[in-house]
């Protein structure tokens, strides 16, 4: 991005040819990073506008030591294209459950949301894996939320839907991520066994200045409520936007206005400081 270039940070460029030596090195490095514990999860809080409390955190993947730096979405793309997304998502889930235990220890009973790739939805044993993991961590159902995008359904709708139904049946809450970006399909959202819809940042960014976006967001919130979903606005960066969303009846917000994604220890410190303020 231009901001990164200004700061003089070199960013990773994906190799164009997936079979180039450069690309194979990137994949080998990522595999090494996973096995050597070089990957990290950072966490961003989610606030309820109903009672002004923090209700959850979203886990976002990071590769801190990596030079040149690599963005989370590109890391995930590399993992998807090289078959590493399966072990990475499993690692993410283990980490997220450990994080949930640490939060509880700090007196913070928050949900932990993790992002699931479309590839994971096509793994036949995925729901079983999630259930076993929950059992082995003695976790309360309903406190680990899986986020999936609508577009992740498109590649293989029948199998993806079967996976989501199994997860739902097992009591695992699902969230529809990036809603309103790309081609939203109203027929899918109606069928999805989700509890939460996250409105994409692209619709939230210009809420203050674009009346059209306000109409779209308000209509989306009303529609989601009618269908029984809770609504989260993503990418909220200022107080004025919080106020607009509150007036529209939005349930929860996430964004830099609250906190940037950060290591768990830092977030726990920030949240427990706020409690004692
Ligand atoms: P996402 O799931 O939509 O995550 C939200 C992204 O928006 C994050 O970018 C977050 O840092 C950023 N963000 C949050 N609040 C604000 C804000 O107020 N302003 C702006 N400009 N940005 C904000 P990040 O961490 O770079 O992740 C990008 C994408 O990579 C994620 O989008 C998700 O699709 C994917 N991703 C990240 N971690 C994982 C993971 O563990 N597994 C999978 N499958 N995908 C992941
Ligand atoms: Ca997400
Ligand atoms: Ca999102
Ligand atoms: Ca996204």
């Amino acid at each position: 991005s231009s901001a990164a270039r200004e700061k003089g940070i070199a960013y990773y460029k994906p190799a164009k040819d997936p079979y180039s030596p450069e690309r194979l090195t990137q994949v080998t490095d990522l595999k090494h990073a996973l096995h050597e514990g070089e990957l990290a999860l950072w966490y961003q809080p989610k606030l309820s506008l109903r009672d002004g409390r923090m209700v959850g955190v979203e886990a976002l993947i990071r590769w801190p030591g990596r030079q040149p730096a690599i963005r989370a979405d590109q890391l995930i793309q590399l993992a998807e294209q090289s078959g590493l997304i399966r072990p990475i998502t499993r690692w993410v889930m283990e980490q997220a459950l450990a994080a949930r235990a640490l939060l509880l220890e700090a007196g913070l009973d928050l949900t932990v949301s993790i992002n699931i790739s479309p590839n994971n939805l096509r793994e036949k044993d995925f729901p079983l894996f999630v259930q076993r993991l929950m059992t082995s961590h003695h976790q309360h159902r309903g406190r680990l939320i899986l986020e999936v995008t609508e577009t992740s359904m498109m590649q293989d709708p029948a199998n993806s839907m079967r996976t989501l139904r199994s997860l739902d049946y097992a009591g695992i809450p699902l969230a529809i991520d990036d809603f309103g970006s790309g081609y939203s399909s109203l027929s899918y959202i109606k069928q999805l066994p989700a509890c939460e819809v996250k409105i994409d940042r692209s619709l939230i960014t210009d809420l203050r200045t674009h009346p059209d976006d306000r109409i779209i967001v308000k209509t989306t919130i009303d529609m989601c409520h009618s269908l029984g979903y809770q609504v989260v606005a993503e990418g909220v960066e200022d107080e004025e936007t919080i106020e607009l969303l509150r007036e529209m009846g939005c349930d929860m917000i996430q964004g830099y206005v609250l906190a940037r994604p950060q290591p768990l220890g830092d977030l726990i410190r920030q949240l427990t400081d706020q409690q004692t303020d």
Side-chain angles (χ1 to χ4, degrees):
S1 72
S2 57
R5 235 173 286 129
E6 277 166 29
K7 280 186 274 169
I9 300 171
Y11 265 85
Y12 153 92
K13 281 187 214 67
K16 287 211 181 63
D17 172 7
Y19 299 105
S20 65
E22 191 192 357
R23 175 50 168 265
L24 293 177
T25 307
Q26 289 165 356
V27 172
T28 309
D29 287 352
L30 178 56
K31 195 184 239 169
H32 182 84
L34 173 65
H35 293 304
E36 297 302 314
E38 289 168 16
L39 300 181
L41 286 183
W42 283 16
Y43 296 85
Q44 187 182 41
K46 182 169 76 177
L47 179 87
S48 162
L49 291 180
R50 307 232 161 267
D51 57 10
R53 283 168 175 270
M54 294 297 176
V55 286
V57 296
E58 176 176 1
L60 296 154
I61 202 161
R62 295 290 183 269
W63 187 350
R66 159 89 196 193
Q67 286 303 330
I70 178 168
R71 287 198 337 244
D73 56 331
Q74 294 197 324
L75 187 162
I76 291 301
Q77 199 182 38
L78 188 62
E80 284 171 343
Q81 291 166 355
S82 60
L84 283 171
I85 194 63
R86 185 182 158 96
I88 283 182
T89 301
R90 278 152 172 70
W91 174 83
V92 166
M93 239 180 257
E94 297 266 6
Q95 293 291 308
L97 285 171
R100 159 107 179 115
L102 287 173
L103 286 163
L104 271 177
E105 245 171 65
L108 300 162
D109 184 7
L110 304 178
T111 58
V112 178
S113 298
I114 65 166
N115 294 283
I116 300 300
S117 150
N119 301 38
N120 298 128
L121 296 182
R122 291 198 297 262
E123 296 164 8
K124 285 229 156 52
D125 58 348
F126 187 70
L128 190 63
F129 168 79
V130 178
Q131 269 177 280
R132 286 206 179 123
L133 196 66
M134 299 290 287
T135 310
S136 69
H137 280 258
H138 307 289
Q139 285 287 339
H140 288 298
R141 280 170 208 285
R143 308 307 280 164
L144 181 75
I145 303 175
L146 306 188
E147 299 192 356
V148 297
T149 61
E150 303 161 274
T151 40
S152 71
M153 303 284 304
M154 309 292 181
Q155 301 171 21
D156 187 356
N159 273 320
S160 302
M161 191 61 92
R162 196 169 311 134
T163 303
L164 294 180
R165 291 236 167 86
S166 310
L167 291 167
D168 181 51
Y169 186 74
I172 314 288
L174 302 167
I176 300 169
D177 206 353
D178 299 351
F179 189 74
S181 71
Y183 301 94
S184 298
S185 159
L186 296 176
S187 68
Y188 274 126
I189 171 174
K190 179 183 82 188
Q191 294 174 40
L192 285 171
C195 59
E196 185 180 290
V197 169
K198 303 186 80 172
I199 302 180
D200 193 63
R201 173 156 55 91
S202 58
L203 284 172
I204 305 297
T205 304
D206 300 320
L207 217 54
R208 284 173 301 127
T209 46
H210 289 44
D212 286 356
D213 286 1
R214 286 208 283 279
I215 294 169
I216 294 170
V217 170
K218 171 72 174 137
T219 308
T220 304
I221 292 170
D222 290 345
M223 177 194 71
C224 288
H225 282 163
S226 307
L227 292 170
Y229 299 118
Q230 297 259 89
V231 183
V232 183
E234 296 193 303
V236 181
E237 296 190 353
D238 58 84
E239 297 287 341
E240 210 180 320
T241 305
I242 299 184
E243 235 7 85
L244 287 170
L245 288 162
R246 199 195 304 276
E247 283 163 21
M248 292 177 188
C250 186
D251 303 287
M252 290 169 272
I253 58 159
Q254 243 182 285
Y256 292 172
V257 69
L258 302 175
R260 287 181 182 249
Q262 54 195 298
L264 187 69
D266 295 353
L267 182 63
I268 287 178
R269 233 164 287 131
Q270 188 187 329
L271 294 180
T272 46
D273 280 356
Q274 278 171 9
Q275 276 183 341
T276 53
D277 275 352

